[in-house]
Amino acid sequence: MKLIVIGHGMVGHKFLETLYADAGAAAFDVTVLCEEPRPAYDRVHLSEFFAGRSADDLSLVAPGFFERDGLTLKLNAKAVAVDRAAKTVTLADGEVLGYDKLVFATGSSPFVPPVPGRERAGCFVYRTIEDLEAMQAWGSTASSGVVIGGGLLGLECAKALRDMQLDTHVVEFAPRLMAIQVDELGGRMLRGRIEELGVTVHTQKNTLRIVDGETAAHRMEFADGSFLETDMIVFSAGIRARDELARACGLELGPRGGIAIDDACLTSDPAIHAIGECAAWKGQTFGLVAPGYDMARTVARSLLGQAGTFGGADMSTKLKLMGVDVASIGDAHGTTPGSRSFQFSDERKRVYKKIVVSDCGKRLLGAVLVGDAAEYGNLLQTMLNGLKLPAAPEFMILPQSEGGARPAIGVEALPATAQVCSCNAVSKGAIVDAVAGGACDIAAVKACTTAGTSCGGCVPLVNQIMKAEMAKAGLAVSNHLCEHFPYSRQELHHLIRVGGIKTFSELLGKHGKGLGCDICKPVAANILASTWNDFVLKPEHASLQDSNDYFLGNIQKDGTYSVVPRMPGGEVTPDGLIAVGQVAKKYGLYTKITGGARVDMFGARVDQLPLIWEELIAAGFESGHAYGKSLRTVKSCVGSTWCRYGVGDSIGFGIALENRYKGLRAPHKIKFGVSGCTRECAEAQGKDVGLIATDKGWNLYVCGNGGMKPRHAELLASNLDEETVVKLVDRFLMFYVRTGDRLQRTSTWRESLEGGLDYLKQVVVEDSLGIAAELEADMQRVVDSYADEWKNAVEDPAVRARFRSFVNSNQVDDNVVFMPERGQLRPATPDERRVIPINRIA
């Protein structure tokens, strides 16, 4: 069957993903017509383009998605006509394609008010990456910018202008911002929050014309006689359904535009479906992505012969606009006859909350949350599932007082059909099934169900359901580290730091039982090291370490150790390289350049380690901590020092960062990357901490990693100077050290954080917990107390005496056998050992 999809935006791609998740897709020959020069990307997070995310970062298309039989993607392919009788689609280049089934996924276009002067140079719309690139180019020489439109998209656009360092204004025709979603008090609170962030808001302004300015490129003249001058104008005053093709081919349209569809998303032509913003269901169009995704799934299932209908959508939404939480649920304005409302307002913190209840007081009809949307998930599920309200519903939004907990729905009250994740249509039942199938942590539930993998707003509720189901199944919902400590790693860290505990025996005596084990001992050793920075091989700490930390090197398959000297930022002098080569040659070590741009030497016997370290220390090297759960490397490119494209000194800054954080112990290893420009030669966006230089400063990325489950780092903050970078990295690392679980990388730690990246930004950047100064002070204590572990080991006779193959003899281990290969040595295989034992000469 020939299937044509006109449009490849977020909804069009969700349709393809759903279709090709089923084996039945093999029956279709699918052609996708994409009007833009690139495949589907994330328009919801479009403003992040100005904060450093590239078009590739925003892409929604998995690598290799279109490399399958029967699926063709045509870029720059604009459909200009549909012949329903002949069942053909004509493209702008004259090509004619036939179809058996056709899906309109044409989306919407920005509405530009008919203001004289709207076509002037320096006036833009905010819709595609090409629009953003044009804005970026113009904004590079501008000093001010205005957004016409104070709705969701308008405030997103205002954030983009602020990210471009422009003096930003928002001009809105209505008397308040987000007039559809929030009421008058909520709008006033939102305005105050936005203006605190440096954006000037102008409401009740009707723009009559745009003319030449005297102090800037443009002058906007308003109906009230006032004016505003600016260098750049962006129209973001709403959207209109892209229904022109449907109109031209005679399809029925909605009363206010959009292609009319039924519950199966079929148009007036039974061979044609419509999905997303171009579709009108019962006369209503939907400007949110979740309803579009529901339509996409409905059509895909219908074409596959499966049951499914579209029954409309709840337009409740929760967003973070310029860092401000805003949420609207149901009948936010209380238009239901007989409805009553409860309101809470905190002018100092600029927090506003309102719930709308039925006249009987038993059902929640709607809500508005501005400045703090923590109750969104609780309130939304209460409304959607018709749950009975508590006797005093006002306490659902009031701050918690001493002795009184905020009323909340129990997840047990939710039916299995309750939709927990609206982005990916995941029900409570699907999460329950995932837990029953063995998914017992939030990352596993995400992987099984896709819940929480889009906007992340449902993660707290997903976590509650998961834990409730685990408890029902008799599974341990415990964060205890082991049988000896009834605490999580985070709680142990708190006990050690607050209690000033310096040894494992003291910790065990005060808060544990028994003798300890192979789980709690290394964890305690790690926490003690990250808190007090004592030498890990002091008598009171040495027995706690695992084998790598105990010998300050990584043990290899043949019982030998690797030696990795620190080379900050990957920089090493010729003399340093010669010294490393001489040591490797003297002790017969295999040498290799690591992925972190260091020299790794393999094959050292345990008794040789102090001798090797002494020679490396004499040549100016220190321990590279390749053996520890600590900072491993800061990978850097040559940056502006040598590269003609470099805009930042990535070498110098990388060296400074590595020297600052070397030796820091953490729940797991940490890797940095510092790139001198957006060409990203240091692969900073695949590191726990990544920095990319731009002409406006450094962009800071966090929580990425390679390995078995690669994860792209996320932008934490942008356009930073070096001093601010250090402050934020101090806070980020110490917050991770305090709250990460045992052996948890920053990537999985980030996935497990309720509130996700937004919460991390609040803690690290905005200091929402009020602990920034404390975190910085903790890090400075670690920095100030740094000492090279290799040097401590070789200078302490008692520690040095441990480095021998046998506890009761100074004899070396004759079982270490090597074979020559490519001019170096490698461990002998078992078969080779039996035939020709060749010992390396020390």
Side-chain angles (χ1 to χ4, degrees):
M1 179 183 291
K2 291 184 178 180
L3 171 63
I4 293 180
V5 182
I6 303 178
H8 189 231
M10 296 180 71
V11 172
H13 191 64
K14 176 60 71 174
F15 165 75
L16 295 173
E17 286 182 330
T18 308
L19 184 69
Y20 280 97
D22 192 286
F28 295 90
D29 181 5
V30 183
T31 301
V32 184
L33 305 178
C34 180
E35 191 173 296
E36 296 188 46
R38 55 177 55 85
Y41 52 88
D42 187 354
R43 294 189 199 276
V44 173
H45 296 99
L46 205 56
S47 64
E48 294 180 13
F49 181 83
F50 293 97
R53 292 190 73 185
S54 67
D56 288 341
D57 295 335
L58 292 168
S59 175
L60 296 174
V61 182
F65 183 85
F66 284 98
E67 296 172 8
R68 62 183 85 202
D69 294 336
L71 177 59
T72 302
L73 172 65
K74 290 178 175 287
L75 299 177
N76 293 307
K78 182 177 181 179
V80 295
V82 174
D83 186 332
R84 292 166 53 201
K87 287 192 172 182
T88 61
V89 177
T90 302
L91 307 187
D93 63 3
E95 184 179 4
V96 179
L97 303 172
Y99 68 84
D100 297 305
K101 292 287 186 179
L102 177 64
V103 177
F104 275 95
T106 47
S108 63
S109 58
F111 170 66
V112 179
V115 177
R118 64 187 180 280
E119 297 176 351
R120 291 166 58 92
C123 293
F124 304 90
V125 294
Y126 184 75
R127 186 64 177 169
T128 69
I129 286 180
E130 284 66 43
D131 294 332
L132 270 59
E133 289 173 339
M135 289 169 57
Q136 201 169 46
W138 187 275
S140 64
T141 60
S143 60
S144 58
V146 170
V147 179
I148 296 180
L152 298 177
L153 288 175
L155 295 181
E156 276 292 312
C157 184
K159 179 185 184 304
L161 297 188
R162 285 294 296 154
D163 286 341
M164 293 167 65
Q165 308 298 307
L166 300 181
D167 178 22
T168 303
H169 298 253
V170 173
V171 172
E172 169 58 42
F173 179 78
R176 63 179 180 272
L177 298 174
M178 290 184 64
I180 295 175
Q181 289 82 11
V182 304
D183 59 10
E184 183 178 350
L185 282 174
R188 189 177 73 194
M189 204 70 71
L190 176 61
R191 177 174 183 160
R193 279 272 193 149
I194 296 296
E195 289 184 330
E196 282 179 350
L197 298 171
V199 175
T200 305
V201 178
H202 310 263
T203 53
Q204 294 182 291
K205 293 292 183 182
N206 180 16
T207 307
L208 296 180
R209 64 188 65 86
I210 303 169
V211 298
D212 288 338
E214 295 181 3
T215 62
H218 312 289
R219 171 179 288 198
M220 301 171 61
E221 296 182 348
F222 303 123
D224 61 6
S226 62
F227 64 87
L228 176 63
E229 297 208 343
T230 181
D231 294 321
M232 179 176 174
I233 298 173
V234 184
F235 291 95
S236 187
I239 56 175
R240 296 292 183 269
R242 287 282 304 272
D243 58 12
E244 62 272 18
L245 268 180
R247 187 186 304 273
C249 72
L251 287 175
E252 183 181 334
L253 302 180
R256 292 185 294 174
I259 307 167
I261 60 170
D262 62 12
D263 291 353
C265 298
L266 269 174
T267 68
S268 53
D269 185 327
I272 302 177
H273 292 82
I275 56 178
E277 293 172 329
C278 69
W281 178 80
K282 295 186 177 180
Q284 181 183 7
T285 55
F286 300 88
L288 298 177
V289 71
Y293 282 179
D294 280 343
M295 294 181 194
R297 285 185 283 262
T298 297
V299 173
R301 291 167 183 159
S302 175
L303 292 174
L304 290 165
Q306 301 169 6
T309 58
F310 177 73
D314 172 60
M315 296 299 283
S316 301
T317 184
K318 173 177 175 282
L319 307 118
K320 183 173 285 289
L321 300 168
M322 300 188 69
V324 181
D325 283 325
V326 181
S328 176
I329 296 173
D331 182 13
H333 297 286
T335 59
T336 303
S339 62
R340 296 177 292 169
S341 67
F342 298 87
Q343 301 174 16
F344 167 75
S345 177
D346 185 334
E347 294 279 358
R348 182 177 63 86
K349 294 183 178 178
R350 297 202 181 277
V351 170
Y352 171 73
K353 302 180 183 185
K354 179 179 83 170
I355 56 173
V356 180
V357 304
S358 60
D359 56 355
C360 64
K362 296 180 179 179
R363 290 187 300 112
L364 181 68
L365 303 178
V368 176
L369 305 169
V370 176
D372 177 11
E375 299 88 1
Y376 176 77
N378 182 27
L379 295 173
L380 179 64
Q381 293 299 326
T382 300
M383 184 202 74
L384 290 178
N385 295 286
L387 302 181
K388 184 178 178 181
L389 289 172
E394 63 271 23
F395 285 100
M396 297 179 77
I397 57 172
L398 289 175
Q400 290 174 274
S401 58
E402 185 176 352
R406 180 181 293 140
I409 61 166
V411 291
E412 291 294 330
L414 293 178
T417 56
Q419 189 177 76
V420 176
C421 175
S422 59
C423 291
N424 297 310
V426 181
S427 66
K428 175 192 173 184
I431 297 168
V432 170
D433 291 343
V435 175
C440 294
D441 60 58
I442 197 68
V445 172
K446 284 183 175 183
C448 289
T449 66
T450 72
T453 58
S454 292
C455 75
C458 62
V459 171
L461 185 57
V462 172
N463 199 35
Q464 289 178 42
I465 295 170
M466 178 192 74
K467 289 183 176 180
E469 290 304 307
M470 289 174 64
K472 283 169 58 178
L475 299 174
V477 186
S478 171
N479 60 358
H480 295 177
L481 188 64
C482 67
E483 63 184 278
H484 303 106
F485 288 99
Y487 303 101
S488 66
R489 182 195 176 279
Q490 179 178 349
E491 291 165 339
L492 276 185
H493 189 285
H494 178 78
L495 292 171
I496 288 171
R497 185 174 59 84
V498 174
I501 295 172
K502 299 295 180 67
T503 66
F504 180 72
S505 58
E506 183 183 359
L507 178 66
L508 196 64
K510 289 184 176 180
H511 303 290
K513 62 181 181 180
L515 301 176
C517 63
D518 290 342
I519 293 176
C520 60
K521 286 181 178 179
V523 170
N526 179 277
I527 297 172
L528 290 167
S530 64
T531 305
W532 312 119
N533 214 16
D534 280 346
F535 180 38
V536 296
L537 295 186
K538 288 177 71 171
E540 60 268 34
H541 302 318
S543 63
L544 306 176
Q545 313 298 336
D546 62 22
S547 57
N548 286 345
D549 282 295
Y550 190 85
F551 291 110
L552 307 181
N554 280 329
I555 191 168
Q556 303 302 314
K557 61 189 288 185
D558 64 343
T560 62
Y561 289 82
S562 64
V563 178
V564 186
R566 187 170 297 286
M567 297 177 181
E571 184 180 76
V572 60
T573 65
D575 286 340
L577 279 175
I578 291 169
V580 169
Q582 288 174 334
V583 168
K585 190 171 183 178
K586 177 177 179 179
Y587 292 93
L589 306 177
Y590 170 85
T591 56
K592 186 183 182 302
I593 304 298
T594 71
R598 307 295 186 269
V599 178
D600 202 342
M601 295 176 279
F602 293 82
R605 294 195 314 265
V606 66
D607 60 286
Q608 295 173 318
L609 289 174
L611 301 172
I612 293 169
W613 296 339
E614 274 184 324
E615 295 195 31
L616 291 172
I617 292 167
F621 291 103
E622 298 177 314
S623 166
H625 287 93
Y627 48 84
K629 300 296 183 282
S630 55
L631 175 69
R632 296 290 181 83
T633 61
V634 177
K635 186 175 182 178
S636 71
C637 64
V638 294
S640 58
T641 306
W642 290 95
C643 181
R644 59 197 174 107
Y645 300 109
V647 295
D649 179 13
S650 51
I651 297 179
F653 198 23
I655 291 170
L657 290 171
E658 184 158 351
N659 283 328
R660 179 170 181 81
Y661 301 115
K662 61 186 179 184
L664 173 69
R665 301 289 171 140
H668 213 298
K669 61 186 176 185
I670 303 168
K671 296 182 180 181
F672 280 43
V674 184
S675 288
C677 72
T678 54
R679 289 172 175 255
E680 249 286 66
C681 293
E683 302 165 336
Q685 293 174 88
K687 300 291 190 286
D688 299 280
V689 176
L691 289 156
I692 301 176
T694 72
D695 55 1
K696 295 179 180 177
W698 295 94
N699 288 348
L700 173 59
Y701 293 83
V702 295
C703 300
N705 69 259
M708 292 178 64
K709 295 182 178 180
R711 186 180 192 276
H712 198 291
E714 296 172 299
L715 185 68
L716 186 70
S718 58
N719 305 329
L720 308 173
D721 57 35
E722 292 187 0
E723 182 181 356
T724 305
V725 167
V726 170
K727 283 186 176 182
L728 296 185
V729 174
D730 280 359
R731 298 175 189 177
F732 167 75
L733 289 177
M734 291 312 297
F735 188 56
Y736 165 56
V737 166
R738 283 190 182 188
T739 62
D741 283 337
R742 169 180 172 264
L743 301 180
Q744 186 178 44
R745 291 291 301 270
T746 61
S747 56
T748 51
W749 170 69
R750 152 65 184 87
E751 292 289 349
S752 68
L753 285 177
E754 292 190 11
L757 181 64
D758 288 337
Y759 173 68
L760 194 57
K761 286 181 178 179
Q762 290 167 9
V763 174
V764 175
V765 181
E766 302 166 19
D767 191 20
S768 61
L769 301 180
I771 60 173
E774 191 177 296
L775 295 174
E776 292 173 29
D778 284 352
M779 180 61 77
Q780 193 59 49
R781 182 169 59 248
V782 172
V783 172
D784 292 341
S785 58
Y786 169 78
D788 178 26
E789 291 176 348
W790 284 354
K791 191 170 187 292
N792 280 342
V794 299
E795 291 181 348
D796 186 328
V799 172
R800 186 164 182 156
R802 296 197 187 105
F803 290 86
R804 54 186 184 178
S805 300
F806 305 100
V807 295
N808 59 352
S809 171
N810 290 324
Q811 183 179 346
V812 300
D813 187 357
D814 290 329
N815 292 310
V816 176
V817 179
F818 295 91
M819 293 292 289
E821 186 171 85
R822 295 187 300 276
Q824 298 202 76
L825 296 175
R826 64 164 172 78
T829 66
D831 289 341
E832 289 169 339
R833 284 172 176 272
R834 286 192 290 270
V835 179
I836 309 175
I838 302 177
N839 288 318
R840 175 187 17 81
I841 299 174

